Amino acid sequence: MKRLLLLLALAACSPQKPAMLPPDANTTEEAPQDHKLIIYQLMTRLFGNQNTTNKTYGTAQENGVGKFNDINDQALQAIKRMGVSHVWYTGVLDHATLTAYEGIPADDADVVKGRAGSPYAIRDYYDVAPDLAVNVPKRMAEFEALVKRTHNNGLKVIIDFIPNHIARSYKSDAKPAGVVDLGEQDDKTQAFKASNNFYYLPGQPFVVPADYTPLGGQPGPQKDGKYQESPAKATGNDVFAAAPSVNDWFETTKLNYGVDYQNNRQSYFDPIPDTWGKMRDILVFWARKDVDGFRCDMAEMVPVEFWAWVIPELKKVKPSLLFIGEAYDAKTYQMYITQGGFDYLYDKVGLYDGLRRLTRNEGTTRDITKVWSEESRGFGSHMLRFLENHDEQRIASPDFAGNARASLPAMTVSATLGTGPVMLYFGQDVGEPALNSEGFSGADGRTTIFDYWGVPEHQKWLNGGKFDGGQLSAEQKQLHAFYVRLLTLSGQREAIRKGRFYELQSTLAAQNSGYNAERVYAYLRYTDAETLLVIVNFSPDQTHTLDLNLPAALREGLRLPADQPLTYTDLLAPAGTTGSSSTVTLAPQSSHIFEIKK
């Protein structure tokens, strides 16, 4: 009898079997890792600008320009209330522009895109853009104050690192003493030399694209169809010709990381190429400014061997630094994570493209299945998901969906499909449609990165510097509130941050006749302590009523006994609705996150 009582006591004290669903085709072997960053990307030049003039190709004085100081405590608290953990300040580094300041001449209009210039045509890696400062000579101090202010408000700082190319006018005036400038010691008689920082076209001067019309025909600094560069350097998008086309990145020059592109991409990495050391020093410079991470532009255009060397070097300086790579080749994702050392990569050609098609009523949910089951299988927690950024068209633009609410199912999937980061672009949460032709950008459904501009719907959220959405319509306020609920849930709920994934498409199809598996998508995110069921309807006009009751085998794996009633709380509903019914009606373009409890 004593032995029986002892065995019963030991059984009661033994750890409970962890929640675990069967390892079948509906899930993967990936062990969840908590990487749920909530990133808010803002174009620094545009974010705080309250000027509403919006003249095509307008000057900074005419159209206004946002400043570091506009992003004050009130703005940062408003961003944080959206559930955000990290702010990506886009366009911080000094780049080629047609605006002159005292001691800082304007660049040549023939090799600058737009009046404000591309933030990805860097003219000084060791400086910040003078446009962004109230007191231009004190611009670095104003940036440092922004970093400190961001941290004081409980947020972390990400800035751009542009490793592949720089502005044709690159010359560092702000570099620390003793730093040798890029190209300063190059042998320009050699098309390729491992110790050079650039690629050259000996004997050939650079030729401005004949059909480039700077500023849409308006006058501009040094605008004469010519630019003095001899010998010509290779262009940023791997064009080894002295006369790139207007569709190339002609305003930039390609950096040399020791790869001879014109000779079968033969590599020369021993000894360490000079460019590697210079770029490491630039990253260290910004890490010591206390930034928390780098979004690395066109990371795949730089050899993975460089990243494998430089990322550990930087983490010696600041172990918590994040490296996010802009990447578009799904076949190389795993290599840039495991070999290259990136913390996160863009999930653009997989999840973004698939969700865009679904939002436009063109694709099917099989695109989502392919992402987690094939493209990023085993490393999904390292993929950064998004629906908007500075390169992509606005959801509310006619070029994408034409309606900001149409993307709510897609955004729900972006935020909750995995344990990796999710990103929101400023103005997305209020349905900014980017309708106008700003200048170089044209009317292309994107918010310009090349021009001075005010972002109209975002400015309603700014509300004269109150950052309270006071000028938004009732529909915009509802949209913003949805984003706040979704991002807050994603950042706080254990099952989303570090739970396992299980797709429910086959399960729901088996128990619901006529289940539209091409337009409705459902999955579980779960831990021992929490079970969430995510279900979205991408259809623009079809309503579906479904039974969500889980089969006994799944309930057992989730530790939800089949003989007990369950409650279903929709966490995305404005007030949260709780009920015992497992039947749900999915309105067109709707999304739900149900917390299931005994």
Side-chain angles (χ1 to χ4, degrees):
M1 186 64 176
K2 288 182 179 179
R3 176 177 171 78
L4 177 59
L5 291 174
L6 178 61
L7 289 172
L8 289 171
L10 289 171
C13 295
S14 63
Q16 198 173 16
K17 183 181 178 181
M20 183 66 69
L21 293 180
D24 57 24
N26 296 300
T27 188
T28 74
E29 66 286 352
E30 182 175 355
Q33 301 176 51
D34 186 354
H35 291 296
K36 190 53 73 176
L37 283 56
I38 313 294
I39 301 172
Y40 184 86
Q41 182 194 2
L42 62 86
M43 184 67 194
T44 316
R45 185 202 300 145
L46 305 179
F47 177 83
N49 183 23
Q50 297 180 39
N51 187 315
T52 59
T53 302
N54 284 355
K55 174 184 174 182
T56 300
Y57 281 116
T59 65
Q61 292 72 31
E62 290 170 325
N63 284 352
V65 57
K67 308 291 184 183
F68 292 132
N69 290 358
D70 292 331
I71 309 167
N72 56 24
D73 290 321
Q74 201 166 356
L76 292 164
Q77 280 300 304
I79 292 170
K80 189 177 182 183
R81 284 195 295 272
M82 297 174 69
V84 170
S85 60
H86 293 65
V87 183
W88 168 14
Y89 294 114
T90 305
V92 163
L93 300 185
D94 185 23
H95 52 271
T97 175
L98 301 187
T99 303
Y101 292 91
E102 185 176 352
I104 308 173
D107 288 278
D108 189 317
D110 294 297
V111 287
V112 177
K113 291 179 177 177
R115 192 178 289 278
S118 168
Y120 295 96
I122 302 303
R123 67 180 178 187
D124 191 344
Y125 276 123
Y126 287 101
D127 205 355
V128 296
D131 269 341
L132 305 179
V134 174
N135 184 342
V136 173
K138 301 289 186 182
R139 56 191 179 277
M140 186 62 80
E142 290 188 21
F143 171 71
E144 291 167 347
L146 174 62
V147 172
K148 184 175 181 180
R149 191 160 59 246
T150 306
H151 289 158
N152 288 345
N153 281 282
L155 296 163
K156 294 189 180 296
V157 173
I158 297 169
I159 65 169
D160 290 288
F161 174 54
I162 300 90
N164 175 67
H165 52 271
I166 58 176
R168 291 203 177 268
S169 61
Y170 187 91
K171 183 180 185 301
S172 179
D173 298 315
K175 65 184 186 295
V179 170
V180 177
D181 218 355
L182 286 163
E184 191 175 324
Q185 298 177 342
D186 279 8
D187 179 356
K188 297 181 182 181
T189 67
Q190 301 296 313
F192 170 81
K193 191 174 182 180
S195 58
N196 280 354
N197 299 137
F198 298 108
Y199 298 95
Y200 295 95
L201 297 152
Q204 301 180 61
F206 172 73
V207 180
V208 173
D211 47 353
Y212 181 51
T213 307
L215 300 179
Q218 298 179 28
Q222 305 174 64
K223 179 181 168 184
D224 58 5
K226 300 175 183 177
Y227 182 74
Q228 297 302 315
E229 180 182 288
S230 185
K233 302 185 186 81
T235 293
N237 59 324
D238 296 354
V239 173
F240 290 80
S245 83
V246 73
N247 297 315
D248 290 319
W249 305 349
F250 65 87
E251 80 282 19
T252 69
T253 57
K254 172 89 174 174
L255 284 167
N256 173 8
Y257 283 81
V259 179
D260 190 352
Y261 285 84
Q262 296 181 289
N263 286 289
N264 298 315
R265 294 179 178 249
Q266 190 169 346
S267 59
Y268 299 85
F269 300 151
D270 187 12
I272 295 296
D274 185 73
T275 303
W276 290 26
K278 284 185 166 66
M279 301 311 275
R280 174 200 57 201
D281 294 345
I282 289 162
L283 285 165
V284 168
F285 174 85
W286 292 104
R288 287 177 175 159
K289 297 289 183 187
D290 209 18
V291 304
D292 301 292
F294 300 96
R295 178 269 188 189
C296 302
D297 187 72
M298 300 306 297
E300 292 170 321
M301 295 185 77
V302 173
V304 69
E305 290 85 355
F306 166 73
W307 298 114
W309 175 79
V310 82
I311 291 176
E313 288 285 299
L314 265 291
K315 293 197 174 186
K316 293 175 187 175
V317 177
K318 188 173 182 178
S320 62
L321 272 176
L322 298 174
F323 281 83
I324 300 170
E326 180 190 15
Y328 298 105
D329 183 359
K331 296 188 295 295
T332 66
Y333 284 170
Q334 190 160 17
M335 178 177 70
Y336 274 83
I337 292 168
T338 57
Q339 182 182 338
F342 274 96
D343 297 289
Y344 309 109
L345 295 180
Y346 271 33
D347 196 344
K348 195 275 180 190
V349 297
L351 193 62
Y352 169 87
D353 284 352
L355 291 174
R356 179 184 167 105
R357 288 191 292 270
L358 276 161
T359 301
R360 291 166 56 87
N361 203 30
E362 295 168 354
T364 75
T365 62
R366 288 189 293 275
D367 290 335
I368 305 174
T369 302
K370 182 179 180 180
V371 168
W372 65 258
S373 64
E374 297 178 31
E375 285 185 352
S376 56
R377 187 183 186 105
F379 55 90
S381 60
H382 294 278
M383 301 307 292
L384 168 65
R385 272 72 191 251
F386 56 86
L387 281 188
E388 283 190 1
N389 64 36
H390 66 279
D391 285 320
E392 308 303 337
Q393 291 170 325
R394 292 286 192 173
I395 297 160
S397 75
D399 306 85
F400 191 155
N403 172 10
R405 294 195 66 85
S407 71
L408 298 190
M411 192 64 198
T412 300
V413 173
S414 290
T416 66
L417 186 70
T419 62
V422 62
M423 184 168 73
L424 178 76
Y425 193 36
F426 83 111
Q428 178 182 343
D429 56 300
V430 297
E432 172 57 43
L435 294 177
N436 303 104
S437 176
E438 304 102 332
F440 180 83
S441 283
D444 60 359
R446 297 173 177 85
T447 294
T448 181
I449 64 171
F450 305 100
D451 309 284
Y452 298 110
W453 202 251
V455 185
E457 302 309 312
H458 169 70
Q459 288 176 327
K460 295 177 181 178
W461 178 78
L462 288 182
N463 192 24
K466 295 179 182 177
F467 303 96
D468 62 0
Q471 298 177 34
L472 298 174
S473 68
E475 184 177 2
Q476 286 176 310
K477 289 178 180 177
Q478 290 174 0
L479 180 68
H480 176 78
F482 174 89
Y483 273 97
V484 172
R485 289 194 299 277
L486 175 63
L487 296 179
T488 301
L489 281 172
S490 300
Q492 293 182 356
R493 285 287 174 156
E494 177 182 291
I496 299 174
R497 291 194 66 92
K498 55 183 180 181
R500 291 186 174 274
F501 168 88
Y502 192 87
E503 188 182 84
L504 291 174
Q505 294 296 84
S506 58
T507 299
L508 294 183
Q511 64 191 43
N512 290 275
S513 61
Y515 180 70
N516 187 352
E518 293 199 343
R519 289 290 176 271
V520 177
Y521 192 71
Y523 50 93
L524 294 169
R525 296 296 313 284
Y526 68 96
T527 64
D528 291 348
E530 184 174 65
T531 299
L532 302 181
L533 190 159
V534 182
I535 185 163
V536 298
N537 179 13
F538 288 99
S539 173
D541 50 21
Q542 296 292 315
T543 298
H544 301 281
T545 299
L546 301 173
D547 177 13
L548 303 180
N549 192 35
L550 301 176
L554 291 187
R555 290 181 63 159
E556 181 180 353
L558 296 166
R559 303 210 308 241
L560 297 171
D563 59 349
Q564 293 184 24
L566 303 177
T567 61
Y568 297 79
T569 303
D570 187 355
L571 302 177
L572 279 182
T577 53
T578 303
S580 59
S581 174
S582 62
T583 302
V584 61
T585 298
L586 302 176
Q589 297 175 332
S590 64
S591 51
H592 306 265
I593 300 177
F594 291 102
E595 182 180 27
I596 305 176
K597 288 185 175 182
K598 290 184 285 188

